[in-house]
């Protein structure tokens, strides 16, 4: 991640959501948990949390408690992907910055869940 890219937490209403997670499509839906745990250990800053997303596409994502992610916290990208289908992207102004989120063929992209501290980079990616 660049200095302007980060992970964190956004608040919508009274609910907090994890953003800035690293998403991957599961190679095998039966081993999704093992895939996520292995990837978490391989990060430069090892991840200590993960989430699984089931449906048309089975995915996992890793997160970091050091970035405010908590066990049981919903992942914002997964929530959005559960109500939108196909190919889409969005940029949302949130407390603390700008959230870029993108999906292709119903899967959140690996670099499609990023919190930026300014508007320029997500605007460029969106365009």
């Amino acid at each position: 991640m660049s200095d302007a890219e980060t992970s964190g937490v956004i608040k919508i209403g009274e609910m907090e959501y994890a953003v800035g997670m690293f998403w991957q499509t599961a190679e095998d839906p039966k081993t999704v948990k093992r895939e996520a745990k292995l990837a978490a250990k391989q990060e430069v800053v090892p991840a200590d949390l993960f989430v699984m997303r089931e449906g048309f596409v089975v995915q996992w994502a890793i997160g970091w408690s050091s970035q405010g992610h908590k066990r049981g916290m919903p992942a914002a990208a997964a929530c959005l992907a559960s109500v939108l289908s196909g190919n889409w992207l969005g940029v949302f102004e949130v407390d603390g910055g700008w959230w870029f989120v993108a999906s292709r063929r119903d899967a959140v992209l690996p670099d499609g869940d990023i919190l930026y501290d300014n508007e320029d980079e997500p605007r460029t990616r969106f365009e």
Side-chain angles (χ1 to χ4, degrees):
M1 285 187 195
S2 75
D3 290 340
E5 298 176 6
T6 187
S7 296
V9 175
I10 61 172
K11 192 170 184 179
I12 302 171
E14 295 300 313
M15 180 71 87
E16 290 185 322
Y17 296 86
V19 295
M21 302 184 85
F22 175 70
W23 288 90
Q24 288 290 302
T25 300
E27 290 180 24
D28 180 353
K30 295 175 185 166
T31 61
V32 66
K33 194 179 223 180
R34 185 170 17 134
E35 288 178 43
K37 287 181 177 183
L38 181 61
K41 292 177 185 176
Q42 294 176 351
E43 286 293 306
V44 173
V45 176
D48 54 356
L49 297 167
F50 69 94
V51 63
M52 295 180 291
R53 179 175 169 253
E54 296 178 332
F56 179 71
V57 175
V58 178
Q59 288 190 280
W60 53 265
I62 54 176
W64 299 263
S65 58
S66 63
Q67 296 297 316
H69 300 160
K70 298 175 189 159
R71 183 183 184 110
M73 178 181 278
C79 293
L80 197 53
S82 72
V83 295
L84 298 175
S85 62
N87 303 328
W88 52 266
L89 61 94
V91 175
F92 303 92
E93 183 176 15
V94 296
D95 286 342
W98 296 82
W99 178 45
F100 174 90
V101 59
S103 173
R104 180 160 187 205
R105 297 182 185 151
D106 295 325
V108 178
L109 296 176
D111 61 347
D113 180 12
I114 302 172
L115 185 61
Y116 290 94
D117 61 7
N118 67 61
E119 183 180 1
D120 296 334
E121 287 189 59
R123 180 185 299 272
T124 299
R125 288 194 66 194
F126 185 86
E127 292 171 350

